[in-house]
Amino acid sequence: MRAIKKLNNNVAICLDSSGAELIAFGKGIGFPAMPYEISDLSVIDETYYNVTPEQQALFSSVPEDIFAISAKIVEEAKKQLSVQLNPSLVFILADHIQFSIERSKKGMHIKMPSASEIAIKYPKEIEIGRYAAKMIERHAKTAMGKDEAVSIALHLINAEMASDDYGITSLNTDRITDHILSMIEDHFQMKIDRDGFNCARFETHLSYLFGRIENHTAIQSDNSRMFESAVADYPDAYACAMKIKEYFMSALSYNLADEEVLYLMLHINRLCTREVL
């Protein structure tokens, strides 16, 4: 295996024996001058093919130790679950963990929809989620919300390529999602890569929002001060979120509470920031 580009100290872009590009995880493989031959393949812990440029870009914004935690969670999931997992899970999960830690340190904890139903239907995933939440807490030295285990479990469920689809069925979510993305594009005068990683991450947030609407649940936390601060810090994202709030009222007769608008603002800002990088 030939390492051709360092992504961080423990991750590198490599070429396998057939010349196919992959991302390799291994302690210290990013240290030597590139390119070089990795003669001892036992130093490679994980390899990932078909990694998109957006996923590669995460290595500049997500710390190495977060990727290490994500890889451990995925490894545990592979041991416990008898289904095939989406190869992109380690990247999606690392991005989620980083965002969850940032929110938790600000005191923003999100109540996930239908936690009890998910626990009944997916006990193994919930157990892995609890294992993951404790690991994250030990690393970040901050208390994660009690529903972080559910959030991790949902990522695992979504990554189970052979499992039944989880989520809402009565809402035309594809049409609504497409309209919301168009609203964001119009508001910010930008083009969103609908097939990109950033868009997929935003669509995941919307799927959780649709689930809360379907199950008549709502985010429950005391973040009024954070809402006021976010409005001041991200006025454009707030203005866009309010347009989307009006759309939800007109299209679904659903009034987004300030907590939902706050979470939507954070994801809009995150999507737009990443799309223009």
Side-chain angles (χ1 to χ4, degrees):
M1 184 180 295
R2 186 171 179 79
I4 60 173
K5 183 179 179 181
K6 172 182 177 178
L7 293 179
N8 62 44
N9 291 337
N10 301 309
V11 183
I13 300 176
C14 300
L15 298 177
D16 66 12
S17 58
S18 64
E21 187 174 286
L22 58 93
I23 301 294
F25 284 62
K27 187 174 182 179
I29 66 171
F31 276 119
M34 303 285 170
Y36 77 98
E37 293 293 334
I38 303 177
S39 56
D40 181 10
L41 296 183
S42 67
V43 302
I44 304 298
D45 297 323
E46 297 284 348
T47 57
Y48 301 94
Y49 286 84
N50 302 315
V51 179
T52 67
E54 292 85 359
Q55 291 169 342
Q56 290 184 24
L58 287 175
F59 290 102
S60 64
S61 60
V62 177
E64 292 181 40
D65 46 10
I66 298 299
F67 271 103
I69 291 172
S70 178
K72 288 181 180 178
I73 295 170
V74 172
E75 181 180 357
E76 184 67 19
K78 288 179 179 178
K79 292 179 182 177
Q80 299 295 330
L81 305 175
S82 57
V83 295
Q84 186 178 3
L85 296 174
N86 188 320
S88 296
L89 177 59
V90 68
F91 302 97
I92 296 170
L93 203 53
D95 187 65
H96 164 79
I97 292 169
Q98 175 70 0
F99 194 42
S100 291
I101 291 173
E102 291 172 0
R103 286 191 287 102
S104 293
K105 287 185 175 179
K106 294 177 181 177
M108 183 179 179
H109 299 297
I110 305 301
K111 183 174 177 60
M112 300 303 295
S114 305
S116 58
E117 289 86 348
I118 294 170
I120 293 172
K121 188 174 181 181
Y122 300 100
K124 289 184 178 180
E125 288 83 353
I126 286 292
E127 190 60 33
I128 297 168
R130 291 174 181 146
Y131 158 83
K134 290 179 181 178
M135 187 190 306
I136 296 168
E137 285 187 333
R138 287 195 300 269
H139 169 78
K141 295 181 174 59
T142 185
M144 306 300 290
K146 65 178 182 178
D147 282 343
E148 177 62 20
V150 180
S151 185
I152 295 289
L154 283 172
H155 278 290
L156 297 177
I157 294 163
N158 288 336
E160 293 175 16
M161 301 171 71
S163 69
D164 295 331
D165 289 335
Y166 168 79
I168 59 177
T169 57
S170 62
L171 294 174
N172 187 347
T173 56
D174 289 341
R175 177 180 60 81
I176 296 171
T177 298
D178 184 68
H179 186 76
I180 289 173
L181 289 170
S182 295
M183 292 176 69
I184 295 172
E185 288 177 326
D186 290 343
H187 183 83
F188 288 94
Q189 292 296 291
M190 63 181 292
K191 186 67 176 177
I192 297 171
D193 179 5
R194 303 297 180 94
D195 298 319
F197 180 73
N198 297 322
C199 186
R201 176 173 46 203
F202 183 77
E203 289 175 347
T204 296
H205 163 66
L206 289 181
S207 71
Y208 294 156
L209 173 57
F210 294 146
R212 290 192 290 274
I213 293 173
E214 177 99 1
N215 292 287
H216 305 289
T217 60
I219 293 175
Q220 296 178 6
S221 60
D222 184 15
N223 293 309
S224 57
R225 290 184 179 179
M226 184 178 291
F227 179 79
E228 295 171 0
S229 176
V231 170
D233 291 340
Y234 310 115
D236 286 340
Y238 171 67
C240 183
M242 292 305 290
K243 290 180 181 178
I244 296 172
K245 177 177 180 176
E246 293 176 3
Y247 170 67
F248 269 92
M249 177 57 74
S250 62
L252 303 174
S253 298
Y254 184 84
N255 183 35
L256 292 178
D258 284 350
E259 298 283 359
E260 294 285 7
V261 174
L262 169 60
Y263 204 36
L264 187 58
M265 286 168 57
L266 296 176
H267 280 276
I268 290 172
N269 182 70
R270 198 161 178 244
L271 170 65
C272 295
T273 301
R274 295 285 179 86
E275 281 289 292
V276 299
L277 290 179

mmCIF file of all heavy atoms in Angstrom, residues 209-233:
data_model
loop_
_atom_site.group_PDB
_atom_site.id
_atom_site.type_symbol
_atom_site.label_atom_id
_atom_site.label_comp_id
_atom_site.label_asym_id
_atom_site.label_seq_id
_atom_site.Cartn_x
_atom_site.Cartn_y
_atom_site.Cartn_z
ATOM 1 N N LEU A 209 -36.688 16.195 12.430
ATOM 2 C CA LEU A 209 -37.738 17.189 12.623
ATOM 3 C C LEU A 209 -39.080 16.635 12.141
ATOM 4 O O LEU A 209 -40.101 16.771 12.827
ATOM 5 C CB LEU A 209 -37.391 18.470 11.873
ATOM 6 C CG LEU A 209 -38.468 19.565 11.820
ATOM 7 C CD1 LEU A 209 -38.903 19.974 13.225
ATOM 8 C CD2 LEU A 209 -37.958 20.776 11.048
ATOM 9 N N PHE A 210 -39.094 15.986 10.976
ATOM 10 C CA PHE A 210 -40.329 15.387 10.467
ATOM 11 C C PHE A 210 -40.836 14.324 11.437
ATOM 12 O O PHE A 210 -42.046 14.172 11.627
ATOM 13 C CB PHE A 210 -40.085 14.755 9.088
ATOM 14 C CG PHE A 210 -39.759 15.745 8.001
ATOM 15 C CD1 PHE A 210 -38.879 15.410 6.979
ATOM 16 C CD2 PHE A 210 -40.315 17.006 7.997
ATOM 17 C CE1 PHE A 210 -38.579 16.308 5.977
ATOM 18 C CE2 PHE A 210 -40.016 17.922 6.997
ATOM 19 C CZ PHE A 210 -39.145 17.569 5.987
ATOM 20 N N GLY A 211 -39.899 13.570 12.037
ATOM 21 C CA GLY A 211 -40.305 12.549 13.000
ATOM 22 C C GLY A 211 -40.984 13.156 14.218
ATOM 23 O O GLY A 211 -41.964 12.616 14.716
ATOM 24 N N ARG A 212 -40.468 14.299 14.675
ATOM 25 C CA ARG A 212 -41.094 14.960 15.823
ATOM 26 C C ARG A 212 -42.486 15.479 15.453
ATOM 27 O O ARG A 212 -43.406 15.436 16.273
ATOM 28 C CB ARG A 212 -40.189 16.095 16.325
ATOM 29 C CG ARG A 212 -38.926 15.605 16.995
ATOM 30 C CD ARG A 212 -38.194 16.718 17.724
ATOM 31 N NE ARG A 212 -37.576 17.697 16.863
ATOM 32 C CZ ARG A 212 -36.355 17.584 16.342
ATOM 33 N NH1 ARG A 212 -35.645 16.494 16.568
ATOM 34 N NH2 ARG A 212 -35.848 18.540 15.582
ATOM 35 N N ILE A 213 -42.622 15.982 14.224
ATOM 36 C CA ILE A 213 -43.932 16.451 13.773
ATOM 37 C C ILE A 213 -44.908 15.274 13.703
ATOM 38 O O ILE A 213 -46.045 15.355 14.183
ATOM 39 C CB ILE A 213 -43.820 17.131 12.393
ATOM 40 C CG1 ILE A 213 -43.014 18.424 12.507
ATOM 41 C CG2 ILE A 213 -45.204 17.420 11.815
ATOM 42 C CD1 ILE A 213 -42.715 19.071 11.171
ATOM 43 N N GLU A 214 -44.465 14.171 13.134
ATOM 44 C CA GLU A 214 -45.313 12.994 12.972
ATOM 45 C C GLU A 214 -45.773 12.437 14.318
ATOM 46 O O GLU A 214 -46.910 12.002 14.479
ATOM 47 C CB GLU A 214 -44.542 11.914 12.193
ATOM 48 C CG GLU A 214 -45.295 10.600 12.020
ATOM 49 C CD GLU A 214 -45.942 10.490 10.657
ATOM 50 O OE1 GLU A 214 -45.789 11.402 9.847
ATOM 51 O OE2 GLU A 214 -46.608 9.476 10.413
ATOM 52 N N ASN A 215 -44.865 12.468 15.296
ATOM 53 C CA ASN A 215 -45.161 11.868 16.596
ATOM 54 C C ASN A 215 -45.646 12.875 17.629
ATOM 55 O O ASN A 215 -45.767 12.552 18.806
ATOM 56 C CB ASN A 215 -43.915 11.143 17.120
ATOM 57 C CG ASN A 215 -43.565 9.917 16.294
ATOM 58 O OD1 ASN A 215 -44.237 8.895 16.354
ATOM 59 N ND2 ASN A 215 -42.508 10.031 15.499
ATOM 60 N N HIS A 216 -45.871 14.114 17.148
ATOM 61 C CA HIS A 216 -46.411 15.169 18.020
ATOM 62 C C HIS A 216 -45.518 15.391 19.246
ATOM 63 O O HIS A 216 -45.988 15.557 20.375
ATOM 64 C CB HIS A 216 -47.833 14.816 18.479
ATOM 65 C CG HIS A 216 -48.766 14.528 17.345
ATOM 66 N ND1 HIS A 216 -49.231 15.514 16.496
ATOM 67 C CD2 HIS A 216 -49.280 13.350 16.891
ATOM 68 C CE1 HIS A 216 -50.012 14.962 15.573
ATOM 69 N NE2 HIS A 216 -50.063 13.658 15.795
ATOM 70 N N THR A 217 -44.208 15.346 19.012
ATOM 71 C CA THR A 217 -43.247 15.641 20.062
ATOM 72 C C THR A 217 -42.497 16.908 19.674
ATOM 73 O O THR A 217 -42.601 17.382 18.550
ATOM 74 C CB THR A 217 -42.245 14.486 20.252
ATOM 75 O OG1 THR A 217 -41.532 14.279 19.026
ATOM 76 C CG2 THR A 217 -42.950 13.213 20.655
ATOM 77 N N ALA A 218 -41.748 17.439 20.589
ATOM 78 C CA ALA A 218 -41.002 18.657 20.316
ATOM 79 C C ALA A 218 -39.715 18.654 21.111
ATOM 80 O O ALA A 218 -39.603 17.964 22.129
ATOM 81 C CB ALA A 218 -41.831 19.893 20.668
ATOM 82 N N ILE A 219 -38.725 19.391 20.626
ATOM 83 C CA ILE A 219 -37.493 19.567 21.383
ATOM 84 C C ILE A 219 -37.837 20.202 22.719
ATOM 85 O O ILE A 219 -38.580 21.174 22.774
ATOM 86 C CB ILE A 219 -36.503 20.469 20.615
ATOM 87 C CG1 ILE A 219 -36.018 19.754 19.347
ATOM 88 C CG2 ILE A 219 -35.318 20.847 21.485
ATOM 89 C CD1 ILE A 219 -35.135 20.607 18.480
ATOM 90 N N GLN A 220 -37.298 19.642 23.772
ATOM 91 C CA GLN A 220 -37.568 20.166 25.111
ATOM 92 C C GLN A 220 -36.259 20.518 25.805
ATOM 93 O O GLN A 220 -35.469 19.644 26.129
ATOM 94 C CB GLN A 220 -38.332 19.135 25.950
ATOM 95 C CG GLN A 220 -39.708 18.816 25.391
ATOM 96 C CD GLN A 220 -40.414 17.759 26.201
ATOM 97 O OE1 GLN A 220 -39.939 17.331 27.247
ATOM 98 N NE2 GLN A 220 -41.559 17.311 25.717
ATOM 99 N N SER A 221 -36.012 21.793 25.977
ATOM 100 C CA SER A 221 -34.832 22.261 26.704
ATOM 101 C C SER A 221 -35.040 23.731 27.026
ATOM 102 O O SER A 221 -35.941 24.372 26.511
ATOM 103 C CB SER A 221 -33.557 22.068 25.872
ATOM 104 O OG SER A 221 -33.648 22.788 24.656
ATOM 105 N N ASP A 222 -34.197 24.239 27.892
ATOM 106 C CA ASP A 222 -34.311 25.639 28.296
ATOM 107 C C ASP A 222 -33.193 26.425 27.628
ATOM 108 O O ASP A 222 -32.135 26.643 28.210
ATOM 109 C CB ASP A 222 -34.218 25.745 29.816
ATOM 110 C CG ASP A 222 -34.439 27.182 30.291
ATOM 111 O OD1 ASP A 222 -34.925 27.986 29.478
ATOM 112 O OD2 ASP A 222 -34.118 27.476 31.453
ATOM 113 N N ASN A 223 -33.430 26.824 26.383
ATOM 114 C CA ASN A 223 -32.389 27.481 25.602
ATOM 115 C C ASN A 223 -32.814 28.873 25.129
ATOM 116 O O ASN A 223 -32.406 29.329 24.070
ATOM 117 C CB ASN A 223 -32.018 26.630 24.381
ATOM 118 C CG ASN A 223 -31.346 25.330 24.774
ATOM 119 O OD1 ASN A 223 -30.392 25.332 25.535
ATOM 120 N ND2 ASN A 223 -31.861 24.226 24.264
ATOM 121 N N SER A 224 -33.645 29.547 25.924
ATOM 122 C CA SER A 224 -34.139 30.855 25.500
ATOM 123 C C SER A 224 -32.999 31.858 25.327
ATOM 124 O O SER A 224 -32.988 32.644 24.380
ATOM 125 C CB SER A 224 -35.160 31.386 26.514
ATOM 126 O OG SER A 224 -34.595 31.458 27.815
ATOM 127 N N ARG A 225 -32.034 31.815 26.254
ATOM 128 C CA ARG A 225 -30.905 32.730 26.129
ATOM 129 C C ARG A 225 -30.074 32.414 24.899
ATOM 130 O O ARG A 225 -29.593 33.312 24.209
ATOM 131 C CB ARG A 225 -30.032 32.661 27.384
ATOM 132 C CG ARG A 225 -30.681 33.261 28.626
ATOM 133 C CD ARG A 225 -29.720 33.252 29.798
ATOM 134 N NE ARG A 225 -30.319 33.836 30.982
ATOM 135 C CZ ARG A 225 -29.701 33.931 32.169
ATOM 136 N NH1 ARG A 225 -28.456 33.477 32.287
ATOM 137 N NH2 ARG A 225 -30.311 34.466 33.189
ATOM 138 N N MET A 226 -29.892 31.123 24.616
ATOM 139 C CA MET A 226 -29.131 30.735 23.442
ATOM 140 C C MET A 226 -29.850 31.167 22.163
ATOM 141 O O MET A 226 -29.219 31.572 21.186
ATOM 142 C CB MET A 226 -28.900 29.223 23.425
ATOM 143 C CG MET A 226 -28.032 28.768 22.260
ATOM 144 S SD MET A 226 -27.713 27.002 22.294
ATOM 145 C CE MET A 226 -26.659 26.906 23.743
ATOM 146 N N PHE A 227 -31.187 31.088 22.170
ATOM 147 C CA PHE A 227 -31.957 31.513 21.005
ATOM 148 C C PHE A 227 -31.703 32.994 20.728
ATOM 149 O O PHE A 227 -31.433 33.384 19.593
ATOM 150 C CB PHE A 227 -33.449 31.254 21.243
ATOM 151 C CG PHE A 227 -34.323 31.686 20.097
ATOM 152 C CD1 PHE A 227 -34.441 30.909 18.966
ATOM 153 C CD2 PHE A 227 -35.021 32.886 20.155
ATOM 154 C CE1 PHE A 227 -35.242 31.315 17.903
ATOM 155 C CE2 PHE A 227 -35.820 33.291 19.101
ATOM 156 C CZ PHE A 227 -35.935 32.501 17.977
ATOM 157 N N GLU A 228 -31.787 33.819 21.765
ATOM 158 C CA GLU A 228 -31.567 35.258 21.600
ATOM 159 C C GLU A 228 -30.151 35.541 21.107
ATOM 160 O O GLU A 228 -29.935 36.401 20.250
ATOM 161 C CB GLU A 228 -31.817 35.976 22.934
ATOM 162 C CG GLU A 228 -33.271 35.892 23.399
ATOM 163 C CD GLU A 228 -33.456 36.426 24.813
ATOM 164 O OE1 GLU A 228 -32.436 36.864 25.407
ATOM 165 O OE2 GLU A 228 -34.585 36.401 25.325
ATOM 166 N N SER A 229 -29.178 34.801 21.642
ATOM 167 C CA SER A 229 -27.790 34.978 21.228
ATOM 168 C C SER A 229 -27.590 34.561 19.776
ATOM 169 O O SER A 229 -26.897 35.245 19.009
ATOM 170 C CB SER A 229 -26.867 34.170 22.136
ATOM 171 O OG SER A 229 -25.530 34.262 21.707
ATOM 172 N N ALA A 230 -28.216 33.443 19.381
ATOM 173 C CA ALA A 230 -28.067 32.955 18.015
ATOM 174 C C ALA A 230 -28.712 33.904 17.012
ATOM 175 O O ALA A 230 -28.196 34.099 15.910
ATOM 176 C CB ALA A 230 -28.685 31.556 17.889
ATOM 177 N N VAL A 231 -29.830 34.500 17.376
ATOM 178 C CA VAL A 231 -30.493 35.479 16.495
ATOM 179 C C VAL A 231 -29.549 36.650 16.225
ATOM 180 O O VAL A 231 -29.445 37.142 15.092
ATOM 181 C CB VAL A 231 -31.810 35.982 17.118
ATOM 182 C CG1 VAL A 231 -32.364 37.164 16.323
ATOM 183 C CG2 VAL A 231 -32.838 34.853 17.166
ATOM 184 N N ALA A 232 -28.846 37.076 17.288
ATOM 185 C CA ALA A 232 -27.903 38.192 17.135
ATOM 186 C C ALA A 232 -26.672 37.778 16.343
ATOM 187 O O ALA A 232 -26.155 38.555 15.529
ATOM 188 C CB ALA A 232 -27.499 38.717 18.510
ATOM 189 N N ASP A 233 -26.205 36.558 16.556
ATOM 190 C CA ASP A 233 -24.979 36.103 15.901
ATOM 191 C C ASP A 233 -25.194 35.696 14.447
ATOM 192 O O ASP A 233 -24.296 35.850 13.616
ATOM 193 C CB ASP A 233 -24.386 34.915 16.666
ATOM 194 C CG ASP A 233 -23.849 35.313 18.024
ATOM 195 O OD1 ASP A 233 -23.587 36.512 18.222
ATOM 196 O OD2 ASP A 233 -23.693 34.431 18.885
#
